[in-house]
PDB file of all heavy atoms in Angstrom:
ATOM      1  N   GLU A 192       0.754  -1.184   0.012  1.00 89.00           N
ATOM      2  CA  GLU A 192       0.038  -0.073  -0.028  1.00 89.00           C
ATOM      3  C   GLU A 192       0.865   1.217   0.016  1.00 89.00           C
ATOM      4  O   GLU A 192       0.580   2.242  -0.581  1.00 89.00           O
ATOM      5  CB  GLU A 192      -0.872   0.013   1.235  1.00 89.00           C
ATOM      6  CG  GLU A 192      -2.074  -0.939   1.330  1.00 89.00           C
ATOM      7  CD  GLU A 192      -2.761  -0.921   2.455  1.00 89.00           C
ATOM      8  OE1 GLU A 192      -3.313   0.178   2.796  1.00 89.00           O
ATOM      9  OE2 GLU A 192      -2.872  -1.961   3.116  1.00 89.00           O
ATOM     10  N   MET A 193       1.967   1.098   0.829  1.00 92.00           N
ATOM     11  CA  MET A 193       2.980   2.263   0.710  1.00 92.00           C
ATOM     12  C   MET A 193       4.173   1.784  -0.008  1.00 92.00           C
ATOM     13  O   MET A 193       4.757   0.658   0.319  1.00 92.00           O
ATOM     14  CB  MET A 193       3.280   2.577   2.188  1.00 92.00           C
ATOM     15  CG  MET A 193       2.080   3.252   2.917  1.00 92.00           C
ATOM     16  SD  MET A 193       2.670   3.850   4.561  1.00 92.00           S
ATOM     17  CE  MET A 193       3.626   5.259   4.106  1.00 92.00           C
ATOM     18  N   LYS A 194       4.634   2.585  -0.904  1.00 91.00           N
ATOM     19  CA  LYS A 194       5.877   2.218  -1.771  1.00 91.00           C
ATOM     20  C   LYS A 194       7.136   2.976  -1.323  1.00 91.00           C
ATOM     21  O   LYS A 194       6.983   3.963  -0.644  1.00 91.00           O
ATOM     22  CB  LYS A 194       5.441   2.590  -3.300  1.00 91.00           C
ATOM     23  CG  LYS A 194       4.255   1.965  -3.801  1.00 91.00           C
ATOM     24  CD  LYS A 194       4.360   0.701  -4.355  1.00 91.00           C
ATOM     25  CE  LYS A 194       3.069   0.209  -5.031  1.00 91.00           C
ATOM     26  NZ  LYS A 194       2.381  -0.923  -4.410  1.00 91.00           N
ATOM     27  N   LYS A 195       8.250   2.468  -1.791  1.00 92.00           N
ATOM     28  CA  LYS A 195       9.492   3.156  -1.588  1.00 92.00           C
ATOM     29  C   LYS A 195       9.362   4.709  -1.788  1.00 92.00           C
ATOM     30  O   LYS A 195       8.791   5.049  -2.920  1.00 92.00           O
ATOM     31  CB  LYS A 195      10.532   2.447  -2.453  1.00 92.00           C
ATOM     32  CG  LYS A 195      11.918   3.063  -2.233  1.00 92.00           C
ATOM     33  CD  LYS A 195      12.919   2.378  -3.063  1.00 92.00           C
ATOM     34  CE  LYS A 195      14.413   2.915  -2.989  1.00 92.00           C
ATOM     35  NZ  LYS A 195      14.552   4.368  -3.162  1.00 92.00           N
ATOM     36  N   ASP A 196      10.024   5.320  -1.091  1.00 95.00           N
ATOM     37  CA  ASP A 196       9.935   6.817  -1.050  1.00 95.00           C
ATOM     38  C   ASP A 196       8.613   7.488  -0.843  1.00 95.00           C
ATOM     39  O   ASP A 196       8.555   8.799  -1.100  1.00 95.00           O
ATOM     40  CB  ASP A 196      10.614   7.390  -2.397  1.00 95.00           C
ATOM     41  CG  ASP A 196      12.040   6.980  -2.486  1.00 95.00           C
ATOM     42  OD1 ASP A 196      12.727   6.939  -1.526  1.00 95.00           O
ATOM     43  OD2 ASP A 196      12.399   6.620  -3.637  1.00 95.00           O
ATOM     44  N   ASP A 197       7.498   6.862  -0.604  1.00 96.00           N
ATOM     45  CA  ASP A 197       6.226   7.563  -0.160  1.00 96.00           C
ATOM     46  C   ASP A 197       6.585   8.363   1.112  1.00 96.00           C
ATOM     47  O   ASP A 197       7.268   7.795   2.055  1.00 96.00           O
ATOM     48  CB  ASP A 197       5.171   6.464   0.060  1.00 96.00           C
ATOM     49  CG  ASP A 197       4.498   6.077  -1.257  1.00 96.00           C
ATOM     50  OD1 ASP A 197       4.836   6.481  -2.281  1.00 96.00           O
ATOM     51  OD2 ASP A 197       3.726   5.059  -1.141  1.00 96.00           O
ATOM     52  N   LYS A 198       5.904   9.439   1.247  1.00 96.00           N
ATOM     53  CA  LYS A 198       6.075  10.261   2.443  1.00 96.00           C
ATOM     54  C   LYS A 198       5.133   9.832   3.472  1.00 96.00           C
ATOM     55  O   LYS A 198       3.898   9.766   3.157  1.00 96.00           O
ATOM     56  CB  LYS A 198       5.949  11.837   2.005  1.00 96.00           C
ATOM     57  CG  LYS A 198       6.298  12.738   3.125  1.00 96.00           C
ATOM     58  CD  LYS A 198       6.304  14.158   2.730  1.00 96.00           C
ATOM     59  CE  LYS A 198       6.684  15.140   3.602  1.00 96.00           C
ATOM     60  NZ  LYS A 198       6.464  14.946   5.008  1.00 96.00           N
ATOM     61  N   LEU A 199       5.621   9.840   4.697  1.00 96.00           N
ATOM     62  CA  LEU A 199       4.732   9.562   5.825  1.00 96.00           C
ATOM     63  C   LEU A 199       4.236  10.871   6.412  1.00 96.00           C
ATOM     64  O   LEU A 199       4.929  11.899   6.131  1.00 96.00           O
ATOM     65  CB  LEU A 199       5.520   8.918   6.998  1.00 96.00           C
ATOM     66  CG  LEU A 199       5.639   7.405   6.883  1.00 96.00           C
ATOM     67  CD1 LEU A 199       6.547   6.964   5.762  1.00 96.00           C
ATOM     68  CD2 LEU A 199       6.133   6.826   8.226  1.00 96.00           C
ATOM     69  N   PRO A 200       3.059  10.899   6.967  1.00 96.00           N
ATOM     70  CA  PRO A 200       2.529  12.212   7.507  1.00 96.00           C
ATOM     71  C   PRO A 200       3.552  12.791   8.556  1.00 96.00           C
ATOM     72  O   PRO A 200       4.214  11.913   9.197  1.00 96.00           O
ATOM     73  CB  PRO A 200       1.249  11.823   8.151  1.00 96.00           C
ATOM     74  CG  PRO A 200       0.898  10.403   7.937  1.00 96.00           C
ATOM     75  CD  PRO A 200       2.178   9.754   7.269  1.00 96.00           C
ATOM     76  N   SER A 201       3.638  14.002   8.681  1.00 95.00           N
ATOM     77  CA  SER A 201       4.413  14.620   9.778  1.00 95.00           C
ATOM     78  C   SER A 201       4.053  14.134  11.126  1.00 95.00           C
ATOM     79  O   SER A 201       2.926  13.767  11.265  1.00 95.00           O
ATOM     80  CB  SER A 201       4.456  16.143   9.627  1.00 95.00           C
ATOM     81  OG  SER A 201       3.267  16.559  10.197  1.00 95.00           O
ATOM     82  N   VAL A 202       4.964  14.268  11.991  1.00 96.00           N
ATOM     83  CA  VAL A 202       4.535  13.866  13.435  1.00 96.00           C
ATOM     84  C   VAL A 202       3.392  14.596  13.888  1.00 96.00           C
ATOM     85  O   VAL A 202       2.376  14.191  14.516  1.00 96.00           O
ATOM     86  CB  VAL A 202       5.761  14.142  14.412  1.00 96.00           C
ATOM     87  CG1 VAL A 202       5.396  13.953  15.793  1.00 96.00           C
ATOM     88  CG2 VAL A 202       6.851  13.127  14.011  1.00 96.00           C
ATOM     89  N   ARG A 203       3.382  15.966  13.655  1.00 96.00           N
ATOM     90  CA  ARG A 203       2.282  16.933  14.023  1.00 96.00           C
ATOM     91  C   ARG A 203       0.998  16.537  13.406  1.00 96.00           C
ATOM     92  O   ARG A 203      -0.137  16.474  13.988  1.00 96.00           O
ATOM     93  CB  ARG A 203       2.578  18.288  13.732  1.00 96.00           C
ATOM     94  CG  ARG A 203       3.613  18.918  14.762  1.00 96.00           C
ATOM     95  CD  ARG A 203       3.759  20.315  14.335  1.00 96.00           C
ATOM     96  NE  ARG A 203       4.776  20.936  15.239  1.00 96.00           N
ATOM     97  CZ  ARG A 203       5.114  22.109  15.384  1.00 96.00           C
ATOM     98  NH1 ARG A 203       4.441  23.001  14.643  1.00 96.00           N
ATOM     99  NH2 ARG A 203       6.113  22.542  16.127  1.00 96.00           N
ATOM    100  N   GLU A 204       0.918  16.183  12.098  1.00 95.00           N
ATOM    101  CA  GLU A 204      -0.269  15.946  11.389  1.00 95.00           C
ATOM    102  C   GLU A 204      -0.859  14.608  11.918  1.00 95.00           C
ATOM    103  O   GLU A 204      -2.087  14.492  12.333  1.00 95.00           O
ATOM    104  CB  GLU A 204       0.000  15.686   9.900  1.00 95.00           C
ATOM    105  CG  GLU A 204       0.361  16.815   9.132  1.00 95.00           C
ATOM    106  CD  GLU A 204       0.934  16.550   7.596  1.00 95.00           C
ATOM    107  OE1 GLU A 204       1.307  15.393   7.349  1.00 95.00           O
ATOM    108  OE2 GLU A 204       0.945  17.467   6.846  1.00 95.00           O
ATOM    109  N   LEU A 205      -0.007  13.535  11.964  1.00 95.00           N
ATOM    110  CA  LEU A 205      -0.432  12.277  12.481  1.00 95.00           C
ATOM    111  C   LEU A 205      -1.031  12.248  13.995  1.00 95.00           C
ATOM    112  O   LEU A 205      -2.049  11.729  14.258  1.00 95.00           O
ATOM    113  CB  LEU A 205       0.619  11.219  12.302  1.00 95.00           C
ATOM    114  CG  LEU A 205      -0.039   9.783  12.506  1.00 95.00           C
ATOM    115  CD1 LEU A 205      -1.145   9.432  11.530  1.00 95.00           C
ATOM    116  CD2 LEU A 205       1.112   8.788  12.226  1.00 95.00           C
ATOM    117  N   SER A 206      -0.203  13.055  14.770  1.00 95.00           N
ATOM    118  CA  SER A 206      -0.689  13.096  16.194  1.00 95.00           C
ATOM    119  C   SER A 206      -1.961  13.792  16.317  1.00 95.00           C
ATOM    120  O   SER A 206      -2.864  13.401  17.056  1.00 95.00           O
ATOM    121  CB  SER A 206       0.521  13.705  17.142  1.00 95.00           C
ATOM    122  OG  SER A 206       0.544  15.039  16.714  1.00 95.00           O
ATOM    123  N   ALA A 207      -2.222  14.853  15.571  1.00 95.00           N
ATOM    124  CA  ALA A 207      -3.363  15.560  15.547  1.00 95.00           C
ATOM    125  C   ALA A 207      -4.629  14.703  15.048  1.00 95.00           C
ATOM    126  O   ALA A 207      -5.661  14.711  15.538  1.00 95.00           O
ATOM    127  CB  ALA A 207      -3.284  16.951  14.736  1.00 95.00           C
ATOM    128  N   GLU A 208      -4.234  13.932  13.923  1.00 93.00           N
ATOM    129  CA  GLU A 208      -5.276  13.231  13.267  1.00 93.00           C
ATOM    130  C   GLU A 208      -5.707  12.040  14.236  1.00 93.00           C
ATOM    131  O   GLU A 208      -6.996  11.751  14.363  1.00 93.00           O
ATOM    132  CB  GLU A 208      -4.674  12.403  11.984  1.00 93.00           C
ATOM    133  CG  GLU A 208      -5.718  11.635  11.220  1.00 93.00           C
ATOM    134  CD  GLU A 208      -5.163  11.091   9.970  1.00 93.00           C
ATOM    135  OE1 GLU A 208      -4.491  11.737   9.290  1.00 93.00           O
ATOM    136  OE2 GLU A 208      -5.372   9.918   9.739  1.00 93.00           O
ATOM    137  N   LEU A 209      -4.807  11.462  14.916  1.00 93.00           N
ATOM    138  CA  LEU A 209      -5.183  10.352  15.810  1.00 93.00           C
ATOM    139  C   LEU A 209      -5.452  10.863  17.275  1.00 93.00           C
ATOM    140  O   LEU A 209      -5.790   9.999  18.237  1.00 93.00           O
ATOM    141  CB  LEU A 209      -3.926   9.356  15.872  1.00 93.00           C
ATOM    142  CG  LEU A 209      -3.664   8.727  14.630  1.00 93.00           C
ATOM    143  CD1 LEU A 209      -2.240   7.770  14.816  1.00 93.00           C
ATOM    144  CD2 LEU A 209      -4.741   7.838  14.085  1.00 93.00           C
ATOM    145  N   ALA A 210      -5.211  12.043  17.536  1.00 94.00           N
ATOM    146  CA  ALA A 210      -5.453  12.686  18.925  1.00 94.00           C
ATOM    147  C   ALA A 210      -4.591  12.014  19.944  1.00 94.00           C
ATOM    148  O   ALA A 210      -5.064  11.671  20.944  1.00 94.00           O
ATOM    149  CB  ALA A 210      -6.955  12.726  19.207  1.00 94.00           C
ATOM    150  N   ILE A 211      -3.316  11.865  19.655  1.00 95.00           N
ATOM    151  CA  ILE A 211      -2.382  11.260  20.594  1.00 95.00           C
ATOM    152  C   ILE A 211      -1.054  12.150  20.608  1.00 95.00           C
ATOM    153  O   ILE A 211      -0.870  12.976  19.812  1.00 95.00           O
ATOM    154  CB  ILE A 211      -1.946   9.742  20.254  1.00 95.00           C
ATOM    155  CG1 ILE A 211      -1.311   9.640  18.812  1.00 95.00           C
ATOM    156  CG2 ILE A 211      -3.193   8.887  20.240  1.00 95.00           C
ATOM    157  CD1 ILE A 211      -0.913   8.308  18.463  1.00 95.00           C
ATOM    158  N   ASN A 212      -0.391  11.921  21.710  1.00 96.00           N
ATOM    159  CA  ASN A 212       0.892  12.789  21.978  1.00 96.00           C
ATOM    160  C   ASN A 212       1.857  12.633  20.830  1.00 96.00           C
ATOM    161  O   ASN A 212       2.093  11.505  20.313  1.00 96.00           O
ATOM    162  CB  ASN A 212       1.387  12.318  23.232  1.00 96.00           C
ATOM    163  CG  ASN A 212       2.590  13.127  23.712  1.00 96.00           C
ATOM    164  OD1 ASN A 212       3.518  13.618  23.001  1.00 96.00           O
ATOM    165  ND2 ASN A 212       2.551  13.503  24.974  1.00 96.00           N
ATOM    166  N   PRO A 213       2.420  13.897  20.329  1.00 97.00           N
ATOM    167  CA  PRO A 213       3.351  13.749  19.253  1.00 97.00           C
ATOM    168  C   PRO A 213       4.531  12.980  19.656  1.00 97.00           C
ATOM    169  O   PRO A 213       5.295  12.235  18.681  1.00 97.00           O
ATOM    170  CB  PRO A 213       3.826  15.151  19.068  1.00 97.00           C
ATOM    171  CG  PRO A 213       2.720  15.991  19.725  1.00 97.00           C
ATOM    172  CD  PRO A 213       2.003  15.188  20.711  1.00 97.00           C
ATOM    173  N   ASN A 214       5.109  12.838  20.855  1.00 98.00           N
ATOM    174  CA  ASN A 214       6.083  11.924  21.397  1.00 98.00           C
ATOM    175  C   ASN A 214       5.827  10.485  20.972  1.00 98.00           C
ATOM    176  O   ASN A 214       6.800   9.741  20.637  1.00 98.00           O
ATOM    177  CB  ASN A 214       6.413  12.064  22.792  1.00 98.00           C
ATOM    178  CG  ASN A 214       6.949  13.473  23.151  1.00 98.00           C
ATOM    179  OD1 ASN A 214       7.571  14.109  22.405  1.00 98.00           O
ATOM    180  ND2 ASN A 214       6.629  14.012  24.366  1.00 98.00           N
ATOM    181  N   THR A 215       4.650  10.039  20.988  1.00 97.00           N
ATOM    182  CA  THR A 215       4.265   8.737  20.705  1.00 97.00           C
ATOM    183  C   THR A 215       4.533   8.497  19.222  1.00 97.00           C
ATOM    184  O   THR A 215       5.107   7.320  18.811  1.00 97.00           O
ATOM    185  CB  THR A 215       2.824   8.423  21.007  1.00 97.00           C
ATOM    186  OG1 THR A 215       2.546   8.735  22.360  1.00 97.00           O
ATOM    187  CG2 THR A 215       2.301   7.009  20.730  1.00 97.00           C
ATOM    188  N   ILE A 216       4.277   9.449  18.334  1.00 97.00           N
ATOM    189  CA  ILE A 216       4.470   9.271  16.885  1.00 97.00           C
ATOM    190  C   ILE A 216       5.895   9.289  16.647  1.00 97.00           C
ATOM    191  O   ILE A 216       6.492   8.506  15.909  1.00 97.00           O
ATOM    192  CB  ILE A 216       3.769  10.287  16.115  1.00 97.00           C
ATOM    193  CG1 ILE A 216       2.242  10.291  16.328  1.00 97.00           C
ATOM    194  CG2 ILE A 216       4.066  10.174  14.572  1.00 97.00           C
ATOM    195  CD1 ILE A 216       1.623   8.997  16.081  1.00 97.00           C
ATOM    196  N   SER A 217       6.625  10.163  17.271  1.00 97.00           N
ATOM    197  CA  SER A 217       8.135  10.335  17.173  1.00 97.00           C
ATOM    198  C   SER A 217       8.737   9.012  17.464  1.00 97.00           C
ATOM    199  O   SER A 217       9.691   8.534  16.965  1.00 97.00           O
ATOM    200  CB  SER A 217       8.531  11.338  18.048  1.00 97.00           C
ATOM    201  OG  SER A 217       8.283  12.653  17.640  1.00 97.00           O
ATOM    202  N   ARG A 218       8.325   8.367  18.556  1.00 98.00           N
ATOM    203  CA  ARG A 218       8.884   7.113  18.988  1.00 98.00           C
ATOM    204  C   ARG A 218       8.690   5.979  17.998  1.00 98.00           C
ATOM    205  O   ARG A 218       9.575   5.229  17.636  1.00 98.00           O
ATOM    206  CB  ARG A 218       8.325   6.678  20.318  1.00 98.00           C
ATOM    207  CG  ARG A 218       9.009   5.285  20.884  1.00 98.00           C
ATOM    208  CD  ARG A 218       8.699   5.123  22.256  1.00 98.00           C
ATOM    209  NE  ARG A 218       9.306   3.824  22.692  1.00 98.00           N
ATOM    210  CZ  ARG A 218       9.126   3.222  23.876  1.00 98.00           C
ATOM    211  NH1 ARG A 218       8.357   3.762  24.612  1.00 98.00           N
ATOM    212  NH2 ARG A 218       9.816   2.055  24.038  1.00 98.00           N
ATOM    213  N   ALA A 219       7.459   5.958  17.431  1.00 97.00           N
ATOM    214  CA  ALA A 219       7.151   4.885  16.360  1.00 97.00           C
ATOM    215  C   ALA A 219       7.890   5.173  15.135  1.00 97.00           C
ATOM    216  O   ALA A 219       8.584   4.215  14.702  1.00 97.00           O
ATOM    217  CB  ALA A 219       5.695   5.110  16.055  1.00 97.00           C
ATOM    218  N   TYR A 220       8.165   6.379  14.732  1.00 97.00           N
ATOM    219  CA  TYR A 220       9.019   6.763  13.611  1.00 97.00           C
ATOM    220  C   TYR A 220      10.439   6.498  13.840  1.00 97.00           C
ATOM    221  O   TYR A 220      11.107   5.837  12.963  1.00 97.00           O
ATOM    222  CB  TYR A 220       8.883   8.212  13.216  1.00 97.00           C
ATOM    223  CG  TYR A 220       7.648   8.615  12.470  1.00 97.00           C
ATOM    224  CD1 TYR A 220       6.597   7.725  12.300  1.00 97.00           C
ATOM    225  CD2 TYR A 220       7.574   9.791  11.795  1.00 97.00           C
ATOM    226  CE1 TYR A 220       5.408   8.070  11.651  1.00 97.00           C
ATOM    227  CE2 TYR A 220       6.350  10.163  11.136  1.00 97.00           C
ATOM    228  CZ  TYR A 220       5.310   9.302  11.053  1.00 97.00           C
ATOM    229  OH  TYR A 220       4.171   9.606  10.396  1.00 97.00           O
ATOM    230  N   ARG A 221      10.949   6.645  15.076  1.00 97.00           N
ATOM    231  CA  ARG A 221      12.288   6.327  15.416  1.00 97.00           C
ATOM    232  C   ARG A 221      12.553   4.830  15.312  1.00 97.00           C
ATOM    233  O   ARG A 221      13.600   4.260  14.815  1.00 97.00           O
ATOM    234  CB  ARG A 221      12.612   6.763  16.803  1.00 97.00           C
ATOM    235  CG  ARG A 221      13.693   7.853  16.875  1.00 97.00           C
ATOM    236  CD  ARG A 221      14.109   8.262  18.388  1.00 97.00           C
ATOM    237  NE  ARG A 221      13.310   7.843  19.477  1.00 97.00           N
ATOM    238  CZ  ARG A 221      12.332   8.557  19.941  1.00 97.00           C
ATOM    239  NH1 ARG A 221      12.031   9.709  19.585  1.00 97.00           N
ATOM    240  NH2 ARG A 221      11.655   8.092  21.034  1.00 97.00           N
ATOM    241  N   GLU A 222      11.690   4.058  15.984  1.00 95.00           N
ATOM    242  CA  GLU A 222      11.794   2.665  15.895  1.00 95.00           C
ATOM    243  C   GLU A 222      11.653   2.047  14.475  1.00 95.00           C
ATOM    244  O   GLU A 222      12.392   1.112  14.114  1.00 95.00           O
ATOM    245  CB  GLU A 222      10.697   1.949  16.743  1.00 95.00           C
ATOM    246  CG  GLU A 222      10.688   2.319  18.268  1.00 95.00           C
ATOM    247  CD  GLU A 222      11.983   1.520  18.874  1.00 95.00           C
ATOM    248  OE1 GLU A 222      12.314   0.408  18.510  1.00 95.00           O
ATOM    249  OE2 GLU A 222      12.498   2.153  19.814  1.00 95.00           O
TER     250      GLU A 222
END
């Protein structure tokens, strides 16, 4: 569904969309 070089939503965008802490998204992206 996601291909090489597809852009992920920014940490702020995704945290706002999911209504969760941006640090949670940052940790997921780091991992």
Side-chain angles (χ1 to χ4, degrees):
E192 289 177 56
M193 295 184 74
K194 309 272 188 242
K195 181 181 181 301
D196 297 326
D197 281 355
K198 188 175 186 327
L199 277 67
S201 73
V202 170
R203 284 185 185 186
E204 289 170 345
L205 191 55
S206 65
E208 182 180 320
L209 298 175
I211 58 177
N212 190 310
N214 292 330
T215 302
I216 303 300
S217 292
R218 182 170 182 186
Y220 282 11
R221 245 188 343 269
E222 295 288 328

